[in-house]
Amino acid sequence: MSFVAEPTRVLVAGGSGYTGALAARLIDRHPQFELATVTSRSDIGRRLSDLYPHHRVDAVFEELDVERHGEVDAAIVAYPHGASAPIVAALREREVRVIDLSADFRLRDRDTYAQWYGEHGAPELFGTAIYGLTELYGAEIATADLVANPGCFPIATLLGLAPLARSGTIADVVIDVKSGVSGAGRAATHRTHFVTVDENVVAYGVAGHRHAPEVDQELAALGAPVTATVQPHLLPLGQGELVSCYVTPTRPWSQDELDASYRAWSAAHAFIELSETPPGVRDVRDTNVCALHARVDARTGKVLVFAAIDNLWKGSASQAVQNLNLMFGLPETLGIEP
Amino acid sequence: MSFVAEPTRVLVAGGSGYTGALAARLIDRHPQFELATVTSRSDIGRRLSDLYPHHRVDAVFEELDVERHGEVDAAIVAYPHGASAPIVAALREREVRVIDLSADFRLRDRDTYAQWYGEHGAPELFGTAIYGLTELYGAEIATADLVANPGCFPIATLLGLAPLARSGTIADVVIDVKSGVSGAGRAATHRTHFVTVDENVVAYGVAGHRHAPEVDQELAALGAPVTATVQPHLLPLGQGELVSCYVTPTRPWSQDELDASYRAWSAAHAFIELSETPPGVRDVRDTNVCALHARVDARTGKVLVFAAIDNLWKGSASQAVQNLNLMFGLPETLGIEP
Amino acid sequence: MSFVAEPTRVLVAGGSGYTGALAARLIDRHPQFELATVTSRSDIGRRLSDLYPHHRVDAVFEELDVERHGEVDAAIVAYPHGASAPIVAALREREVRVIDLSADFRLRDRDTYAQWYGEHGAPELFGTAIYGLTELYGAEIATADLVANPGCFPIATLLGLAPLARSGTIADVVIDVKSGVSGAGRAATHRTHFVTVDENVVAYGVAGHRHAPEVDQELAALGAPVTATVQPHLLPLGQGELVSCYVTPTRPWSQDELDASYRAWSAAHAFIELSETPPGVRDVRDTNVCALHARVDARTGKVLVFAAIDNLWKGSASQAVQNLNLMFGLPETLGIEP
Amino acid sequence: MSFVAEPTRVLVAGGSGYTGALAARLIDRHPQFELATVTSRSDIGRRLSDLYPHHRVDAVFEELDVERHGEVDAAIVAYPHGASAPIVAALREREVRVIDLSADFRLRDRDTYAQWYGEHGAPELFGTAIYGLTELYGAEIATADLVANPGCFPIATLLGLAPLARSGTIADVVIDVKSGVSGAGRAATHRTHFVTVDENVVAYGVAGHRHAPEVDQELAALGAPVTATVQPHLLPLGQGELVSCYVTPTRPWSQDELDASYRAWSAAHAFIELSETPPGVRDVRDTNVCALHARVDARTGKVLVFAAIDNLWKGSASQAVQNLNLMFGLPETLGIEP
């Protein structure tokens, strides 16, 4: 491979959180991207490596100045939900191509957005983003100016259910999510205190997690117009997410048919791996891989699908880089090879 | 309270595993039970505290001699599945009242047993045991001579679903089990190696765990003749088990009605606690408590029930003591107060 | 045993932190103590069990009112360093017998206190407290009105080194402390965030931890006037503390002589246990036990002593109850039996 | 950089253990090395990725046949102590340049070897190996045919103490090692069972760990002829090792002088990093970096040095690759860039 083009200059806005910092690191080491600037609201003047020694990124956090920092080809915005939209809008005005890691542009129905998140911070852009799950929207992402990077639960869920959803055979689905603590973000709270999490496991966001409508929207787009039951749990591990999907199919599936379907799905996508045994989150740690295992339960006829990702990588930052690769005409896997 | 009776003499057969050792400790400190003998197949001559310093039980493991060790009032048998039945039979011949911690006597249908476990080791006793879940079979347990202590998943599941099952409104149920590593037993295997489990989570026994027919049997007995989807996962924690139940009801439940039903269930049983928020397994560690939280999911109409237990305590050893209390006319909570 | 006396009424001031909450629980279940009031500065009106479900203490946190809450026989004060002294002084004015869990009254030299902690909050009481390590100061504690409960590192260190210190043979000592996260308190900080601690180990308070002068003071009192090197490390575990002591002796010790010395030390104290192999912190979890193991290193002549405690129990709350037992003429082990 | 040479063909003998498997992965992805064969004694016919999915190495384990597999440029031998020497000898007969990960060739004194390990498996080669710590023996390693890769404790210890040892100012040193469980190897034992390790910390190999004479030998070679006190502890983490060194210097050190000495040491070596605060093992996970922090303890005059490495990487497998780079004229950092 030889790329002679100028490097693509990328701004990472909001680099002091887990996903923003990782995005900055991945850009920093990418053979074709250049980390133009990394900004922070809380740690201006500190080096990224002061907060995250293992990332070994010497860049110093700056205060975001869209005027000045917007002189780039692309931006990854890692702001909290709600705070992101205005920044995205300002960058789009300067024609920066943006990948937004927040939930601000994932939903396409204004009422649903309002119900779960309230007023939108850039209503003129609402509905204009491409949903940034490369395996589903690769072609659209390649030419997109605004990409809404999905939530981590939806990424694992949709990659796990796509073959079934596209076949139109999902009557009902229960999605039990098991998530590491980094998914709760870097804020120090009682909930993320080591003593609270250690030797524990607990459900949260019961009967109404914000990622549920996102899952519904995309399952419907794939051909499965269902209301999914999505239930996350917090586990005593730092990184990683396992999604256990319990599908009630509209008609019986044989294991052979299921295997064929998932083999085809995996064969078509560099980052979809099939596991002969149920995948553990350790298998995909620090990678952009989603590992899948699908089984027919002969007792009940249900189809069980297990999807493992690294919530910070495929669940956010490396997923963004995968998108960025396509947006700039590069091989999907560049800089994030498994 | 004043008990003037002679202490009840209890044999613990198979005390070198996690649950047998804990049973021996609970008996050893019980105000009305006396640990007559603790046996082991692998560690004869060692003190229980050599293997489990935190239990502080000085008793020395003996080789089981039913002739001699059967001179007791009761026995807790903590042998592996299959190996247990012959021991139980020998003890019953000496009229020892037995609580069996294995799966050998839990099922009541011979064909189902044969299908999951093969030939039975004491066919003459098959079907004669009382299912040892105190909250469901307390009256029968009080007079029983042979009690089959339930599996840990079924205990949490049945205590979590009993109100719904009895109402006859369970159309379908998915049971996602999250279990600590002690549930896999003391044997050192690749699967229980720290490096395998640490920072990991993985499904196992996919589409066919042995506890599933036990759950079906007891749900049916309660009034819910369903085939449950039961899926366990191994988590990086030592003790504790969280069961997330996703019930498709036959008719809508309101949250108020659900609350009333679970309040009544909890009020009737000393060890059933309702949690205002979803319970963590830490909340019940080292106790005989089962903590429950039930919610209607307004989006889907499903009823979600979360049940947390300590797999070694309420999931096995202290559950056995609770049964033993009733069998000898003692208060259910004696020696295992929360 | 039969105690016919009125229960001793105990105030726990500052019950929302880890050690205060545990002290309240231990008092609440103690056969001769009664939890009169538990106060909090941050969680007034909430039940203790809302914060700590596993403690199962229904008492509601009140705002401290020394006038009203001082109508008790004894108080355990679990306030931060500095904030404690004024409360202790106010309680002493009402003749309440006080055990202070903070560092405010541990040191006996005013200059040393000033150097490490600054101005004292109740100078009139400085130097009047008994150092609350029961195994060393039992007789004085029995009649004391003000007991300064030791820090957790000093407790493990002093119980581990007492036989050597009393023999006058410590020339130099390095104390490497390995502490669980609960030792850092309940405050949610970056340092106690699960993601920071998980899969990590790090030294802190390098070359100058506040517990060092406390260790020096008490080693000198025992007969070992040394300046100890005390270095703590934060480990990925919730509860527990292991102290590894490397003693350069003034003269050679034989293993036999060392064994005899530690056997005598253990035999004289209910909560000092000798371990045949190096103790793990799991061996003493949720107990008031300090487990010891002492070895001569034949290569170097150094004496190695390992001491394991539960930092929240013997390192603080149950140590306080042990003291309180003596102060009110009760058996040392009452309510905190191993 | 452009390397036009033929790739160097490397055999990894013993690839089913943690370090051998990682070595195979590092060779497999190295730009100038080619994984010729990976062998195993226990898992012949299985893919490396079946055992270690996260390594994503498709190579199939073969049974070692020195005749056939010895047709390579170099070999990394990852056999247990004792079993390694004969294999090394056989490979050396075929003029394969060998890096041995075992302890078989680390010691240079036959009596010391005999005392700790017994009879040697290839006495004719004893004493001919270069000690494979690149930062100390880089020039010799470049031309060596047999390199004895150091133990993980000695690596961290020696990299941490080299500046002090070379200055000739170490009078005495205590080395407290805190090691993750992967350091104990892949064998499933009671000691590595998750339930044994979780929420625990314990010393092992008390007063006589096999790595101690290796430390002494190399400290002496550096200019510090001391008998070190080396004491390892097992921590509840998978990968990582922190070594806390407590040096009694022969003369006082100032912090400025110490800083200058360590800055020079770090500046001269690509993989030695200085940390402004004490390093955590997380900072160096999955890298070949050794992170150091050195401090004078003003109270005692002792010099404290903290060294963090990844025991599987810099502690073994990537250290081997660093050596192999030099042996074949490549940049030291190639394929293992931090």
Side-chain angles (χ1 to χ4, degrees):
Chain A
M1 247 178 331
S2 75
F3 300 101
V4 292
E6 286 288 292
T8 300
R9 303 187 69 242
V10 181
L11 160 71
V12 173
S16 52
Y18 292 142
T19 55
L22 177 56
R25 165 184 150 179
L26 293 173
I27 296 298
D28 190 48
R29 305 200 185 174
H30 193 282
Q32 284 296 304
F33 297 144
E34 179 186 312
L35 182 60
T37 309
V38 58
T39 73
S40 164
R41 299 184 297 177
S42 55
D43 294 279
I44 298 160
R46 302 182 70 188
R47 289 184 319 145
L48 193 146
S49 279
D50 292 341
L51 278 70
Y52 300 97
H54 64 288
H55 280 337
R56 291 181 171 70
V57 174
D58 283 331
V60 171
F61 290 121
E62 302 186 29
E63 184 171 7
L64 179 62
D65 173 350
V66 174
E67 203 72 41
R68 190 155 53 89
H69 297 140
E71 298 293 316
V72 290
D73 302 301
I76 295 175
V77 179
Y79 269 51
H81 308 318
S84 193
I87 304 299
V88 169
L91 289 164
R92 286 299 306 129
E93 273 180 26
R94 274 151 195 81
E95 305 205 336
V96 178
R97 297 176 80 183
V98 175
I99 297 183
D100 180 31
L101 302 189
S102 85
D104 285 5
F105 296 97
R106 292 174 193 158
L107 296 177
R108 288 188 289 268
D109 182 81
R110 284 182 195 269
D111 290 347
T112 306
Y113 184 91
Q115 178 189 341
W116 292 84
Y117 294 96
E119 206 174 344
H120 195 271
E124 71 284 6
L125 289 178
F126 190 92
T128 68
I130 301 298
Y131 190 75
L133 188 47
T134 328
E135 285 77 6
L136 301 186
Y137 293 93
E140 294 88 337
I141 289 166
T143 59
D145 289 324
L146 174 54
V147 169
N149 224 51
C152 54
F153 307 167
I155 286 176
T157 301
L158 295 168
L159 295 180
L161 294 181
L164 291 165
R166 282 181 169 158
S167 75
T169 59
I170 298 181
D172 188 28
V173 60
V174 167
I175 298 157
D176 186 289
V177 183
K178 296 151 188 83
S179 173
V181 184
S182 60
R186 190 170 170 255
T189 64
H190 175 64
R191 197 174 149 242
T192 60
H193 194 298
F194 185 86
V195 174
T196 308
V197 176
D198 178 47
E199 287 292 294
N200 207 358
V201 50
V202 65
Y204 66 96
V206 173
H209 192 276
R210 284 172 164 188
H211 282 178
E214 186 182 334
V215 168
D216 287 355
Q217 166 184 291
E218 296 303 324
L219 282 179
L222 284 164
V226 294
T227 303
T229 299
V230 179
Q231 181 54 55
H233 301 77
L234 193 66
L235 265 62
L237 53 92
Q239 261 167 273
E241 187 171 297
L242 179 69
V243 172
S244 306
C245 304
Y246 303 90
V247 174
T248 306
T250 55
R251 51 100 176 149
W253 278 79
S254 74
Q255 187 64 45
D256 283 352
E257 184 190 14
L258 194 68
D259 288 346
S261 173
Y262 276 82
R263 272 198 301 267
W265 173 234
S266 169
H269 296 285
F271 293 112
I272 307 281
E273 287 186 3
L274 295 193
S275 300
E276 283 182 34
T277 53
V281 297
R282 283 273 300 271
D283 303 349
V284 296
R285 184 168 178 136
D286 293 338
T287 77
N288 193 52
V289 171
C290 176
L292 299 181
H293 183 77
R295 286 282 287 280
V296 176
D297 183 345
R299 292 178 79 244
T300 63
K302 284 204 165 49
V303 179
L304 276 52
V305 182
F306 304 92
I309 61 170
D310 184 316
N311 57 303
L312 297 182
W313 285 66
K314 181 63 175 172
S316 186
S318 65
Q319 169 65 70
V321 172
Q322 187 183 0
N323 288 332
L324 213 55
N325 279 337
L326 290 198
M327 289 165 75
F328 288 89
L330 301 170
E332 179 179 33
T333 59
L334 196 66
I336 48 173
E337 297 82 358
Chain B
M1 249 179 330
S2 76
F3 301 102
V4 292
E6 287 287 293
T8 300
R9 303 186 70 241
V10 182
L11 159 71
V12 173
S16 52
Y18 292 142
T19 55
L22 177 57
R25 165 184 150 178
L26 293 173
I27 296 299
D28 191 48
R29 306 200 184 174
H30 192 282
Q32 284 296 304
F33 297 145
E34 180 186 311
L35 182 61
T37 309
V38 58
T39 74
S40 165
R41 298 185 297 177
S42 54
D43 294 279
I44 297 160
R46 301 183 69 190
R47 288 185 318 145
L48 193 147
S49 279
D50 292 340
L51 278 70
Y52 300 98
H54 64 287
H55 280 338
R56 292 180 169 72
V57 173
D58 283 330
V60 171
F61 291 121
E62 302 185 29
E63 184 170 6
L64 179 62
D65 173 351
V66 174
E67 203 72 40
R68 190 156 52 89
H69 296 141
E71 298 292 317
V72 290
D73 303 302
I76 295 176
V77 178
Y79 269 51
H81 308 317
S84 194
I87 304 299
V88 168
L91 289 164
R92 284 301 306 130
E93 273 179 26
R94 275 151 194 80
E95 304 206 336
V96 178
R97 298 176 79 183
V98 175
I99 297 183
D100 180 31
L101 301 189
S102 85
D104 286 4
F105 296 97
R106 292 174 192 158
L107 296 177
R108 288 187 290 267
D109 183 80
R110 284 181 195 269
D111 289 347
T112 306
Y113 184 90
Q115 179 189 341
W116 291 86
Y117 294 96
E119 204 174 345
H120 196 271
E124 71 283 6
L125 289 178
F126 190 91
T128 68
I130 301 298
Y131 189 76
L133 187 47
T134 328
E135 285 76 7
L136 302 186
Y137 293 93
E140 293 89 336
I141 289 165
T143 59
D145 289 325
L146 174 53
V147 169
N149 225 50
C152 56
F153 307 169
I155 286 176
T157 301
L158 295 168
L159 295 180
L161 294 180
L164 291 165
R166 283 182 168 158
S167 74
T169 60
I170 298 181
D172 188 28
V173 60
V174 167
I175 298 157
D176 186 290
V177 183
K178 294 149 190 88
S179 173
V181 184
S182 60
R186 189 170 171 255
T189 64
H190 175 63
R191 198 174 147 241
T192 60
H193 194 298
F194 185 87
V195 173
T196 309
V197 177
D198 178 48
E199 286 292 294
N200 207 359
V201 52
V202 65
Y204 65 96
V206 172
H209 192 276
R210 285 172 163 188
H211 282 178
E214 186 183 334
V215 168
D216 287 355
Q217 166 183 291
E218 297 302 324
L219 283 179
L222 284 164
V226 295
T227 304
T229 299
V230 180
Q231 181 54 56
H233 301 77
L234 193 66
L235 265 62
L237 54 93
Q239 260 167 274
E241 186 172 296
L242 180 68
V243 172
S244 306
C245 304
Y246 302 90
V247 174
T248 306
T250 55
R251 51 100 176 149
W253 279 79
S254 74
Q255 187 64 44
D256 283 352
E257 185 190 14
L258 194 68
D259 289 346
S261 173
Y262 276 83
R263 271 197 303 268
W265 172 234
S266 169
H269 296 285
F271 291 112
I272 307 281
E273 287 187 3
L274 295 192
S275 299
E276 283 181 35
T277 53
V281 297
R282 283 273 300 272
D283 302 349
V284 297
R285 184 169 178 135
D286 292 340
T287 77
N288 194 52
V289 171
C290 177
L292 300 180
H293 182 76
R295 287 280 288 277
V296 175
D297 183 345
R299 293 177 78 245
T300 63
K302 284 204 165 48
V303 179
L304 277 51
V305 182
F306 305 91
I309 62 170
D310 184 315
N311 57 303
L312 297 182
W313 285 66
K314 181 63 177 173
S316 185
S318 64
Q319 170 65 69
V321 173
Q322 187 183 359
N323 288 332
L324 213 55
N325 279 337
L326 290 198
M327 289 165 76
F328 288 89
L330 302 170
E332 180 179 32
T333 58
L334 195 67
I336 48 172
E337 297 82 359
Chain C
M1 250 178 332
S2 75
F3 300 100
V4 292
E6 286 288 293
T8 300
R9 303 186 70 241
V10 181
L11 160 71
V12 173
S16 52
Y18 293 143
T19 55
L22 177 57
R25 165 183 149 179
L26 293 173
I27 296 298
D28 191 48
R29 305 198 185 176
H30 192 282
Q32 283 295 305
F33 297 145
E34 180 187 311
L35 181 61
T37 309
V38 58
T39 73
S40 165
R41 298 184 298 177
S42 55
D43 294 279
I44 297 160
R46 301 183 70 189
R47 289 184 320 144
L48 193 148
S49 279
D50 292 340
L51 277 70
Y52 300 98
H54 63 289
H55 280 338
R56 292 182 171 71
V57 174
D58 284 330
V60 172
F61 290 121
E62 301 186 30
E63 184 170 9
L64 179 61
D65 173 352
V66 175
E67 202 72 41
R68 191 155 51 88
H69 297 139
E71 298 291 319
V72 290
D73 303 302
I76 295 175
V77 179
Y79 268 51
H81 307 318
S84 192
I87 304 300
V88 169
L91 288 164
R92 286 299 307 130
E93 273 181 26
R94 275 154 195 80
E95 305 205 335
V96 178
R97 297 176 79 183
V98 175
I99 297 184
D100 180 30
L101 302 189
S102 85
D104 285 4
F105 296 98
R106 292 174 193 159
L107 296 178
R108 288 187 290 268
D109 183 80
R110 283 182 197 268
D111 290 347
T112 307
Y113 183 91
Q115 179 188 342
W116 292 85
Y117 295 98
E119 204 174 346
H120 196 270
E124 71 283 7
L125 289 178
F126 190 91
T128 69
I130 301 299
Y131 190 75
L133 188 47
T134 327
E135 285 77 6
L136 302 186
Y137 294 92
E140 294 88 336
I141 289 165
T143 60
D145 289 324
L146 174 54
V147 169
N149 224 52
C152 54
F153 307 168
I155 287 175
T157 301
L158 296 167
L159 295 180
L161 294 181
L164 291 166
R166 284 183 169 158
S167 74
T169 60
I170 299 182
D172 188 28
V173 60
V174 167
I175 297 157
D176 185 289
V177 182
K178 296 150 188 85
S179 173
V181 184
S182 60
R186 189 170 171 253
T189 64
H190 176 62
R191 197 173 150 244
T192 60
H193 194 297
F194 184 87
V195 173
T196 308
V197 176
D198 178 47
E199 287 292 292
N200 207 358
V201 51
V202 66
Y204 66 95
V206 172
H209 192 276
R210 287 174 162 186
H211 282 178
E214 186 182 334
V215 168
D216 287 355
Q217 166 183 290
E218 297 302 326
L219 283 179
L222 284 163
V226 295
T227 303
T229 299
V230 180
Q231 181 54 56
H233 301 76
L234 193 66
L235 266 61
L237 53 92
Q239 261 167 274
E241 186 171 296
L242 180 69
V243 173
S244 306
C245 303
Y246 303 90
V247 174
T248 306
T250 55
R251 51 102 177 150
W253 278 79
S254 74
Q255 188 64 45
D256 283 350
E257 185 189 14
L258 194 68
D259 289 346
S261 174
Y262 276 82
R263 270 199 302 269
W265 172 234
S266 169
H269 296 285
F271 292 112
I272 307 282
E273 287 186 3
L274 295 193
S275 299
E276 282 182 35
T277 53
V281 298
R282 282 273 299 272
D283 303 348
V284 297
R285 184 168 178 137
D286 293 339
T287 77
N288 194 53
V289 171
C290 176
L292 299 181
H293 183 75
R295 288 281 287 280
V296 176
D297 183 345
R299 293 178 78 243
T300 62
K302 285 205 164 48
V303 180
L304 277 51
V305 182
F306 304 92
I309 61 170
D310 184 315
N311 58 303
L312 298 182
W313 285 66
K314 181 63 176 172
S316 186
S318 65
Q319 169 65 70
V321 172
Q322 187 184 0
N323 288 332
L324 214 55
N325 279 336
L326 291 198
M327 289 164 75
F328 288 89
L330 302 170
E332 180 179 33
T333 59
L334 196 66
I336 48 172
E337 297 83 358
Chain D
M1 253 182 323
S2 76
F3 300 101
V4 293
E6 286 288 292
T8 300
R9 302 187 70 243
V10 182
L11 159 70
V12 174
S16 52
Y18 292 143
T19 56
L22 177 58
R25 166 185 148 180
L26 293 173
I27 296 299
D28 191 48
R29 304 198 186 175
H30 192 283
Q32 283 296 304
F33 297 145
E34 180 186 311
L35 181 61
T37 309
V38 59
T39 73
S40 164
R41 300 185 297 178
S42 55
D43 294 278
I44 297 160
R46 302 182 68 188
R47 289 184 319 144
L48 193 148
S49 280
D50 293 341
L51 276 71
Y52 301 97
H54 64 288
H55 280 338
R56 291 182 170 72
V57 174
D58 283 331
V60 172
F61 290 121
E62 302 187 29
E63 185 170 9
L64 180 62
D65 173 351
V66 174
E67 203 72 41
R68 191 155 51 88
H69 297 139
E71 298 291 318
V72 291
D73 303 301
I76 296 176
V77 179
Y79 269 51
H81 307 317
S84 193
I87 304 299
V88 169
L91 289 165
R92 285 299 307 129
E93 274 181 26
R94 275 153 195 80
E95 305 206 335
V96 178
R97 298 176 79 184
V98 175
I99 297 184
D100 180 30
L101 302 189
S102 84
D104 285 5
F105 296 97
R106 292 174 193 159
L107 295 177
R108 288 188 290 268
D109 183 80
R110 283 182 196 269
D111 289 347
T112 307
Y113 184 91
Q115 179 189 341
W116 292 85
Y117 294 97
E119 204 173 347
H120 196 271
E124 70 283 7
L125 290 178
F126 190 91
T128 68
I130 301 298
Y131 190 75
L133 188 47
T134 328
E135 284 76 7
L136 302 185
Y137 293 92
E140 294 89 337
I141 289 165
T143 60
D145 289 325
L146 174 54
V147 169
N149 224 51
C152 55
F153 307 168
I155 287 177
T157 300
L158 296 168
L159 294 181
L161 294 181
L164 291 165
R166 284 183 168 158
S167 74
T169 60
I170 299 183
D172 187 28
V173 60
V174 167
I175 297 157
D176 186 289
V177 183
K178 294 149 189 86
S179 173
V181 184
S182 60
R186 189 169 171 254
T189 64
H190 175 62
R191 197 173 149 243
T192 60
H193 194 298
F194 185 87
V195 173
T196 308
V197 177
D198 178 47
E199 287 292 292
N200 207 359
V201 52
V202 66
Y204 66 96
V206 173
H209 192 275
R210 286 173 162 186
H211 282 178
E214 186 182 334
V215 168
D216 287 355
Q217 166 182 291
E218 297 303 325
L219 283 179
L222 284 164
V226 295
T227 303
T229 299
V230 179
Q231 181 54 56
H233 301 76
L234 193 65
L235 265 60
L237 52 92
Q239 261 167 273
E241 187 171 297
L242 179 69
V243 173
S244 306
C245 304
Y246 303 90
V247 174
T248 307
T250 56
R251 52 101 176 148
W253 278 80
S254 74
Q255 187 64 44
D256 282 352
E257 186 189 13
L258 194 68
D259 288 347
S261 174
Y262 276 83
R263 270 198 304 267
W265 173 234
S266 169
H269 296 285
F271 293 112
I272 306 281
E273 287 186 3
L274 295 193
S275 300
E276 283 182 35
T277 53
V281 297
R282 282 272 301 272
D283 303 350
V284 297
R285 183 168 179 136
D286 293 339
T287 77
N288 194 52
V289 171
C290 177
L292 299 181
H293 182 77
R295 286 280 287 279
V296 175
D297 183 345
R299 293 178 77 243
T300 62
K302 284 203 164 51
V303 179
L304 278 50
V305 182
F306 304 92
I309 62 169
D310 184 316
N311 57 302
L312 297 181
W313 285 66
K314 181 63 176 172
S316 185
S318 65
Q319 169 65 68
V321 172
Q322 186 183 0
N323 287 333
L324 215 53
N325 280 335
L326 290 198
M327 289 165 76
F328 289 89
L330 302 170
E332 180 179 35
T333 58
L334 196 66
I336 48 171
E337 296 83 359

